[in-house]
Amino acid sequence: MKHKTKKNAYRIGDRLVVDVTDLTARGEGVAHHNGLTVFVGGALPGERVQLRVAVVKQQYLVGTLEAIQVRTTVRQTPPCDYFPECGGCQWLHLNAAAQAEQKRRRVMGDLVHIGGFTDIADKVCATVSADSAVHYRNKAQFKISEEGIGFYAKGSHQVIPIAHCLNQMTPNDDLILILNQWVKDSQIPIYREDSGTGNLRGILVRANRRGDIMVTLIAKTLSGVNTERLARRLQESLSELVSFSININPNRGNRVLGEETRVIFGAPTISETLCGREFQISPASFFQVNTEQAEKLYRQVIRYANLTGQESVFDLYCGTGTIGICMADRARKVTGIEAVPEAIADAKENARRNNIDNIQFFCGRSEKIMSERLAAGDAADVVVVDPPRKGCARLLLETIVASGVPKIVYVSCNPSTLARDCRCLADAGYRLEEVTPFDLFPGTGHVETVVLMLKVNN
């Protein structure tokens, strides 16, 4: 006999007063009321707030913030004119020190609740904060609407038009003004994801620490896209512009770039340095968005690896080879493995450009290529993994364990899958030695983490 699930007694429009105890990555304060979890956008831990119930579910409520009755001292006035409507940032109402502590707490919480680790507070270091909370991004993916270019509103595909963005590395007011005017004057139909109609899909802007700027238009087809006027205006107005191109993406869906990029003027790439190495960046290249923080993160990877010059290192999910290339002068040999052919091509070119001859790159699944290289006689003294948000493939973890590698350095962009994978490794005989969170995206709920795991000698 089935038992009917008891419905909670709340209704949309009810008003509640709650004490906020936690914060989600999306910027929602977390509270509890009569056994239910309550999410309140804009509320911060340590605050007592009044809310109006907007969503009623069996296990939780979502409320709209109406009043802050007790305000936390770490609340700040957001420095951005578009917060919180723009979805690019979620934590701008929280000061930098509190953001750093919240990110550390998030990593610890997932290691405890998902990974099942205990007594780890002393192993999780303080979050490494960014030197600057603004002007840190070397990449912007602008969305386009009839009202202008900007970013999506939180939780939607509605574009919030902007005149500037404090996160971008270089001042962008003039660039945005030019692009907005061109979009208006060109009258190119705006692409719509739901129907696949229209043509103009977006604008990608990349920059480096020297101030060079790369602009890439993204369109479904070249038909009707006349870039001459825009090219001329950009060249006349932006002395920093070194590359202007158009990318063709005819495919349905929300993937940003297609496979074909045509350079209209300038170079096909811009260059950037990391840890003393030079990297070429194309519109499609993966490159850490916060260059200054990426250097700190890579140096932490190098410290955890503690290389003597005799080790054979496997760099898995290596992307364009940045971590492996930055480690190569401290290792005997580095093997980078990545499933994306374009990334491997970039990695090989980056190694050639930096005159590195003790690194090799292979294209394919990390677990397959690593097994083949070990069978061919390669050693594994250190393994570095930097997987996507979904974490490591289970078969890869099994391959790493079977290799008997004594040291694993795990770089993660998702604390929950990091915790899951660290538990798998711990159950297979590895000790979680130390954890360092990094704030690569100030003002957001995102946290990067570097973990050192050592094999336990039985």
Side-chain angles (χ1 to χ4, degrees), residues 132-195:
S132 175
V134 295
H135 301 308
Y136 64 85
R137 287 187 67 97
N138 58 40
K139 176 183 175 182
Q141 293 179 178
F142 291 110
K143 309 303 180 183
I144 302 178
S145 72
E146 286 76 5
E147 289 76 31
I149 69 172
F151 301 108
Y152 286 145
K154 183 168 64 174
S156 80
H157 279 195
Q158 176 190 352
V159 176
I160 303 296
I162 65 171
H164 59 270
C165 177
L166 289 175
N167 281 348
Q168 303 311 310
M169 183 181 290
T170 56
N172 47 56
D173 303 46
D174 291 343
L175 175 59
I176 292 175
L177 182 66
I178 293 168
L179 294 173
N180 268 327
Q181 191 61 50
W182 178 79
V183 169
K184 179 180 178 181
D185 293 343
S186 68
Q187 297 185 334
I188 301 172
I190 308 302
Y191 178 79
R192 302 190 181 281
E193 286 183 19
D194 53 356
S195 63

Side-chain angles (χ1 to χ4, degrees), residues 105 192 217 242 256 279 310 390 422:
R105 286 184 58 187
R192 302 190 181 281
L217 295 180
V242 298
V256 177
F279 297 92
Q310 302 304 311
K390 65 182 179 181
C422 285

Side-chain angles (χ1 to χ4, degrees), residues 55-114:
V55 176
V56 177
K57 297 293 183 180
Q58 189 61 41
Q59 301 297 327
Y60 68 90
L61 306 173
V62 178
T64 301
L65 180 63
E66 289 193 331
I68 302 174
Q69 296 184 354
V70 177
R71 183 180 298 263
T72 179
T73 58
V74 297
R75 178 180 284 274
Q76 68 175 8
T77 301
C80 176
D81 297 334
Y82 306 102
F83 181 84
E85 287 75 23
C86 174
C89 299
Q90 304 85 39
W91 286 13
L92 286 181
H93 53 321
L94 187 64
N95 71 31
Q99 287 187 37
E101 179 54 27
Q102 282 293 325
K103 293 183 182 190
R104 179 176 181 267
R105 286 184 58 187
R106 183 182 171 204
V107 171
M108 282 198 301
D110 284 351
L111 286 171
V112 171
H113 300 300
I114 298 175

